[in-house]
Amino acid sequence: MKVIAAVKRVVDYNVNVRVKADQSGVDIGNVKMSMNPFDEIAVEAAVRLKEQGAASEVVAVTCGVTQAQETLRTALAIGADRGVLVQTDTALQPLAVAKLLRAVVAREQPALVILGKQAIDDDACQTGQMLAALLGWPQATQASAIHIEDGRARVTREVDGGLEVVDLALPAVVTADLRLNEPRYVTLPNIMKAKKKPLDVTTPQDLGVDPASRLETLRVESPAARAPGIKVADVAALVDKLKHEAKVI
Ligand code: AMP
């Protein structure tokens, strides 16, 4: 059983992002980029399926700029067998990524595609769902456990107020939630090994997909600045401030 893990290169979660002066977007020049954290979990899940003998090959796929190869190398260092970069400088939205992934799926014929539940840059939380719809495959989003048996996937999902277990016929699409696993620490020997693993580069044109955006971003703004909090000496001082400064009581 072949598994595809979809990985996105995003601004590292530790970076304090800034809006560009012309308000056209977030400034990603000279900031640290990393694999989307939920995608690390997706790759880890795929690699564990291989280690358990449920999967035979793990292919990491990313769509984006040339530098996204670094993200694929991280996936290979976690344990993916090979990588596929769909190289484009076009800013991609979830529908375009879903169409590109569908084309990669047509080539690769995996039994399972695991994605992150959302990318932390645009927080769209759409790509997995759109991919499943385009493929006409069953889907289980926000997975906290995946069990493969007899051509089916039993997936535990984190839903409001508890857990839901769904049983899917393969091939299927699953998106990974935070508690699915804790991705392994990537070791130096594995980083070195990853450099030798195969990495194919293709393009949206090769895949017959037009990745052009269908949405226009009008303006991106930073959240309004807030005054810093203060410590008050006692309850009387708090009540006084609430009455006379905040004027809420
Ligand atoms: P989103 O719908 O943008 O929140 O992304 C959900 C998931 O789709 C991510 O966690 C990735 O697994 C996958 N994904 C999104 N964008 C890309 C991309 N450019 N290349 C590969 N996978 C992606």
Side-chain angles (χ1 to χ4, degrees):
M1 176 179 99
K2 190 190 283 188
V3 180
I4 282 184
V7 298
K8 185 178 188 188
R9 177 179 185 262
V10 298
V11 174
D12 187 89
Y13 68 95
N14 287 307
V15 171
N16 208 348
V17 290
R18 285 170 199 272
V19 172
K20 285 188 202 164
D22 65 0
Q23 296 192 313
S24 60
V26 164
D27 192 357
I28 57 165
N30 294 323
V31 301
K32 185 176 178 218
M33 306 293 284
S34 301
M35 186 189 298
N36 180 46
F38 292 107
D39 304 353
E40 280 185 46
I41 297 172
V43 176
E44 176 69 35
V47 171
R48 286 189 193 186
L49 287 175
K50 187 174 172 197
E51 288 168 348
Q52 290 157 15
S56 52
E57 188 185 25
V58 176
V59 183
V61 180
T62 193
C63 311
V65 293
T66 308
Q67 295 90 319
Q69 292 197 17
E70 294 158 19
T71 314
L72 286 178
R73 291 286 170 207
T74 306
L76 298 175
I78 295 172
D81 298 294
R82 55 190 177 86
V84 175
L85 166 66
V86 183
Q87 203 269 321
T88 175
D89 290 335
T90 306
L92 298 172
Q93 285 163 355
L95 182 58
V97 177
K99 287 180 179 173
L100 293 169
L101 291 176
R102 173 179 58 175
V104 174
V105 164
R107 277 191 180 180
E108 296 282 346
Q109 302 283 317
L112 184 65
V113 183
I114 311 183
L115 305 90
K117 76 161 179 180
Q118 79 192 75
I120 60 163
D121 50 1
D122 54 16
D123 278 341
C125 200
Q126 296 171 1
T127 310
Q129 293 86 331
M130 287 177 169
L131 175 64
L134 290 173
L135 290 166
W137 287 7
Q139 61 176 302
T141 54
Q142 290 139 256
S144 61
I146 305 173
H147 179 74
I148 306 288
E149 206 174 304
D150 298 332
R152 303 189 72 85
R154 199 164 62 249
V155 180
T156 307
R157 305 184 55 234
E158 302 208 351
V159 293
D160 278 352
L163 298 173
E164 179 185 55
V165 180
V166 289
D167 182 49
L168 312 175
L170 297 176
V173 173
V174 172
T175 73
D177 211 330
L178 199 61
R179 277 163 287 272
L180 179 57
N181 59 51
E182 202 170 308
R184 71 197 62 188
Y185 182 74
V186 174
T187 61
L188 192 57
N190 284 344
I191 293 174
M192 300 313 288
K193 268 191 225 158
K195 290 186 199 256
K196 297 203 180 107
K197 291 187 180 177
L199 195 158
D200 296 329
V201 181
T202 183
T203 62
Q205 291 70 28
D206 289 343
L207 296 171
V209 176
D210 174 8
S213 167
R214 297 183 175 202
L215 301 173
E216 186 190 353
T217 301
L218 299 180
R219 195 169 65 244
V220 176
E221 292 177 3
S222 299
R226 288 197 307 183
I230 53 161
K231 274 190 178 170
V232 291
D234 50 31
V235 174
L238 174 65
V239 171
D240 182 68
K241 284 197 178 294
L242 290 175
K243 258 191 192 156
H244 300 110
E245 281 183 24
K247 297 195 169 71
V248 290
I249 56 173

